Amino acid sequence: MGLLTDPAGLRGRQVLVNNHGLICGVLYFASLVWFCLLASDQVNSATYLSENALLPGLVVLSSDVTTDTKNYLKELDVVMKESNRIPTAWIRGKFTQMSIESYVHNFTLNYPLGRGQRFEGKNVYGIIRGGGSSTEAIVLSVPFRGDDSGFPSTTASLALLLAITKYFREQKYWAKDLIMLITEHEQLGMQAWLEAYHGVTCGTKGVLEAGDLPARGGSIQAALNLELHSTKMKYIDVKILGLNGQLPNLDLVNLVHRICSKERSRHSFGNLEKVHNLPPNEQYFHSLYTMTFMVLGQATGVPDGNHGLFHRFGIEAVTMEGHEADGNGQHITLHHVGRVVEGVFRSVNNLLERFHQSYFFYLMTDTDRFVSIGYYIPCVGMMVGALLIRAFSLHVSLRGQIDDSINSKNDYNTGGVFITGLLCFLTGLVVFQIPIISTKILPVYFNFSTAKSVLTGFVGISIAALIMVEILTKVLGPREWTLLSIASLLYLGTMILAVAMSNFSLAFLSSIFIVPMALLVGSKLPRFVRTLICLLCQPLLLLTIVISISTYIHFGDLDRAVQTLAETLVLTSVDTLVYGATSQVIPILAYTPGWLMVYVLCRAKHVTTAKPKKD
């Protein structure tokens, strides 16, 4: 304990304190280099199946659903011309012809940011009861999309689901219940069905009225979501990203890829296929691009398919998206996809226990290579280490000031630091409520749209926070600055570690901006430079910069940047209220208070640098 309470305990450890700036800088850049090295085949590993019951070689596939799929697709085209809504009666009629239980699930969305708007939807599902006691189940789902949908059609998926259901109904080897689910309104319908199936509410109570299900199957072990946009596909993209950055068990991902390879169906991850016999340097950049794609997608916390909503319930799920083939060259047909679906269901049907043996935390560098948590977590560890070393050095300096204060009989008041920290956290709570507050006030008095109201609310509270900081900087003294700096460093380090436990990608990308900002507070840079750096890391401004760059890359201009920013803020607010997503919770409740404390220090005229007291 002498090391923490007495500066004299630093004898023999002066190198760490005197050179903390250099050490922190080395740790920061070492973290970035470590991350880049993860893409090397000498660091990452080849995928493998941990559960022997899933081995695709044990499954003999015999399905041929081509004829049935084409017939269902022709009928569906006729039905779709009559209405863009989900054809519940037609689907239930097909299930009834197969002697399968069929049910309709109704749900309602009370739009949380509008003027009492209500949206209704329906899901249709059928259940093939297994030969056991119905204690376990597997789900095959398809999102229904009408002609007015902004996404590619999924009629081919629905036709294949009905055809494979007919084939499954004729087999007698099923040990688990098979649930065939068609959902409406994309992820909203899936969320409502899952909440009704498990009897829970994930978002804000009263926003999504999931209702009750007429019937249930067993405990769901796995789910496969189909998004096929054509009868002829170039390749199948396997999607794995889930809500809040959650991932399915790696065994299920490997199973899908291996069965695709077995059936000679081209498959990819992140729309990037496996390329064999690449030169080492090209292979490295291919792996680095794939891994970066996954990190950027996982950091958003937004699922890239309906499968992403299963993970929070302990259900392993992936989406198979079939992209339409161009021209008359080699392509994948619905026959191939049907065989892959059969292989996945037959393999999962062999399981005697839940998925547990493989990884839940990993980064994919290719369709058959991955990085485990033990290799990528040091990236965050080095970032946090830089913050803790800086905090320790300031602690030593502060202890010397306290000793001098005691000897000179001066008081040392920490009340100002406590009030500053409290105000920063209260500001974060107010910011979190801005979408609801602004959409209730601004549309009424100024006739603003929902998107404009939310954006105006965030801009207004950001300006108010900057004014609050200018007032706080006139209250605290030099010693309080040092104590606040230590508190902000410890808070930011703890926050990054906590976020990394569930979403490494978000923690790592955030630390790239947070760590330099926090370390430069006590540097010898002019106050104007420190303030500018901190302002560039302001949450709303940083999001604006990212969206502007993305808009320019995709559309070649910045005219849509403001509109895209407003829509992004609305969507993240709705995701939080409906799905219980953390895509807005973490930046506001975790990042905003830490950024405010750092900005208070940037605006301070006197910030104590870390210098140990000499004997």
Side-chain angles (χ1 to χ4, degrees):
M1 294 300 293
L3 179 63
L4 298 177
T5 57
D6 187 359
L10 287 172
R11 293 190 183 100
R13 299 177 175 87
Q14 298 296 333
V15 175
L16 177 64
V17 178
N18 294 335
N19 300 283
H20 72 276
L22 176 62
I23 296 173
C24 293
V26 169
L27 285 174
Y28 177 79
F29 288 105
S31 175
L32 300 179
V33 172
W34 187 286
F35 176 79
C36 294
L37 291 177
L38 295 176
S40 173
D41 286 349
Q42 283 70 38
V43 178
N44 55 54
S45 307
T47 58
Y48 59 92
L49 287 173
S50 302
E51 178 57 69
N52 291 332
L54 292 173
L55 290 176
L58 299 176
V59 178
V60 179
L61 306 179
S62 58
S63 64
D64 186 357
V65 296
T66 304
T67 303
D68 289 333
T69 302
K70 290 182 178 179
N71 293 335
Y72 286 131
L73 194 56
K74 290 179 181 179
E75 294 182 34
L76 188 58
D77 289 339
V78 176
V79 174
M80 291 287 291
K81 292 179 181 180
E82 300 176 0
S83 174
N84 284 327
R85 292 296 303 273
I86 181 172
T88 56
W90 181 80
I91 296 174
R92 291 195 67 185
K94 296 304 176 184
F95 282 149
T96 301
Q97 291 177 7
M98 304 173 196
S99 300
I100 294 174
E101 304 175 28
S102 62
Y103 306 95
V104 175
H105 169 232
N106 298 292
F107 62 91
T108 302
L109 172 68
N110 299 310
Y111 192 64
L113 302 181
R115 301 178 181 178
Q117 294 176 299
R118 290 171 60 89
F119 302 92
E120 296 181 351
K122 295 181 179 181
N123 299 322
V124 185
Y125 65 101
I127 303 177
I128 301 177
R129 299 293 178 180
S133 56
S134 295
T135 57
E136 296 178 348
I138 314 172
V139 173
L140 179 63
S141 66
V142 169
F144 176 82
R145 296 171 183 169
D147 295 334
D148 57 347
S149 174
F151 299 97
S153 172
T154 57
T155 54
S157 305
L158 179 53
L160 179 61
L161 179 142
L162 293 173
I164 200 71
T165 301
K166 182 178 179 181
Y167 172 78
F168 284 170
R169 179 65 181 85
E170 299 170 354
Q171 310 309 312
K172 305 299 181 183
Y173 44 67
W174 298 113
K176 296 176 172 61
D177 293 339
L178 306 184
I179 302 176
M180 306 301 171
L181 173 64
I182 302 95
T183 61
E184 194 177 18
H185 300 318
E186 299 298 326
Q187 296 177 9
L188 186 64
M190 180 61 73
Q191 179 68 23
W193 189 85
L194 286 171
E195 288 188 5
Y197 195 91
H198 295 90
V200 299
T201 299
C202 299
T204 303
K205 190 174 182 180
V207 175
L208 180 60
E209 298 177 5
D212 297 321
L213 293 183
R216 291 176 173 82
S219 174
I220 302 175
Q221 306 296 298
L224 186 62
N225 185 57
L226 295 180
E227 294 182 12
L228 311 178
H229 309 315
S230 173
T231 57
K232 296 181 179 180
M233 292 156 281
K234 185 177 181 181
Y235 60 88
I236 297 174
D237 188 48
V238 181
K239 297 181 176 181
I240 64 175
L241 300 179
L243 186 70
N244 301 332
Q246 287 185 280
L247 300 173
N249 187 276
L250 190 58
D251 265 349
L252 180 61
V253 180
N254 296 336
L255 175 66
V256 176
H257 281 298
R258 292 203 178 192
I259 294 182
C260 286
S261 298
K262 181 183 176 183
E263 294 301 315
R264 298 182 179 180
S265 300
R266 295 174 61 182
H267 54 102
S268 66
F269 171 73
N271 294 318
L272 295 172
E273 296 183 68
K274 173 74 175 180
V275 182
H276 298 278
N277 302 321
L278 278 177
N281 58 331
E282 294 184 18
Q283 179 61 51
Y284 169 78
F285 286 107
H286 176 82
S287 299
L288 181 62
Y289 183 84
T290 305
M291 183 176 65
T292 304
F293 167 83
M294 179 174 178
V295 168
L296 293 175
Q298 187 185 25
T300 63
V302 178
D304 54 359
N306 282 2
H307 70 279
L309 301 175
F310 283 89
H311 301 158
R312 76 183 334 157
F313 298 97
I315 303 169
E316 313 312 321
V318 298
T319 288
M320 291 172 52
E321 181 179 14
H323 293 267
E324 185 174 1
D326 299 326
N328 297 321
Q330 185 179 7
H331 58 266
I332 302 171
T333 65
L334 294 177
H335 168 72
H336 297 93
V337 180
R339 302 266 289 190
V340 173
V341 173
E342 181 194 3
V344 172
F345 271 60
R346 291 280 302 275
S347 296
V348 175
N349 188 59
N350 292 336
L351 278 180
L352 299 177
E353 52 194 355
R354 285 184 174 272
F355 287 88
H356 70 282
Q357 293 199 37
S358 193
Y359 295 89
F360 289 92
F361 300 95
Y362 53 87
L363 297 177
M364 300 293 295
T365 60
D366 214 326
T367 57
D368 59 352
R369 301 196 69 85
F370 76 105
V371 181
S372 68
I373 185 173
Y375 285 97
Y376 67 66
I377 204 65
C379 297
V380 172
M382 285 184 277
M383 290 287 190
V384 175
L387 297 177
L388 297 182
I389 289 174
R390 169 66 177 166
F392 172 74
S393 302
L394 288 176
H395 167 75
V396 173
S397 173
L398 184 62
R399 293 303 304 178
Q401 294 179 24
I402 293 176
D403 291 342
D404 293 340
S405 176
I406 294 175
N407 294 333
S408 60
K409 297 182 180 179
N410 292 328
D411 294 332
Y412 185 79
N413 184 19
T414 60
V417 178
F418 174 78
I419 294 175
T420 301
L422 180 62
L423 288 175
C424 291
F425 280 97
L426 290 177
T427 303
L429 291 174
V430 173
V431 174
F432 186 67
Q433 298 296 327
I434 281 298
I436 298 177
I437 297 174
S438 60
T439 52
K440 287 184 177 180
I441 298 176
L442 297 181
V444 175
Y445 294 98
F446 301 98
N447 199 27
F448 282 4
S449 64
T450 300
K452 189 175 181 180
S453 299
V454 173
L455 179 60
T456 303
F458 277 113
V459 172
I461 192 64
S462 298
I463 296 174
L466 297 181
I467 296 175
M468 181 191 72
V469 168
E470 294 300 325
I471 297 175
L472 289 174
T473 54
K474 303 182 183 300
V475 177
L476 302 181
R479 295 171 189 166
E480 285 81 6
W481 295 129
T482 305
L483 186 59
L484 182 62
S485 180
I486 295 174
S488 64
L489 290 167
L490 293 178
Y491 170 76
L492 291 173
T494 304
M495 181 200 71
I496 293 174
L497 281 178
V499 174
M501 294 299 100
S502 60
N503 192 337
F504 160 81
S505 300
L506 178 58
F508 178 69
L509 292 180
S510 300
S511 65
I512 293 177
F513 300 97
I514 291 175
V515 172
M517 175 189 69
L519 294 179
L520 290 174
V521 170
S523 65
K524 297 181 180 179
L525 292 174
R527 185 170 63 151
F528 169 76
V529 177
R530 290 187 280 116
T531 301
L532 179 62
I533 293 174
C534 194
L535 283 175
L536 290 176
C537 295
Q538 200 268 349
L540 183 61
L541 183 58
L542 186 61
L543 179 62
T544 304
I545 294 173
V546 172
I547 289 178
S548 299
I549 295 174
S550 177
T551 303
Y552 183 79
I553 293 174
H554 288 89
F555 302 103
D557 59 65
L558 298 176
D559 296 338
R560 306 182 184 182
V562 176
Q563 179 183 356
T564 305
L565 174 63
E567 292 175 353
T568 300
L569 294 173
V570 172
L571 290 176
T572 54
S573 302
V574 172
D575 287 347
T576 301
L577 297 171
V578 176
Y579 304 103
T582 60
S583 53
Q584 193 178 66
V585 176
I586 292 176
I588 292 180
L589 295 183
Y591 182 28
T592 299
W595 179 85
L596 283 173
M597 287 189 283
V598 174
Y599 186 66
V600 169
L601 296 169
C602 286
R603 297 299 298 158
K605 295 182 179 180
H606 306 285
V607 178
T608 305
T609 56
K611 293 182 181 179
K613 181 184 177 183
K614 297 182 180 180
D615 294 337

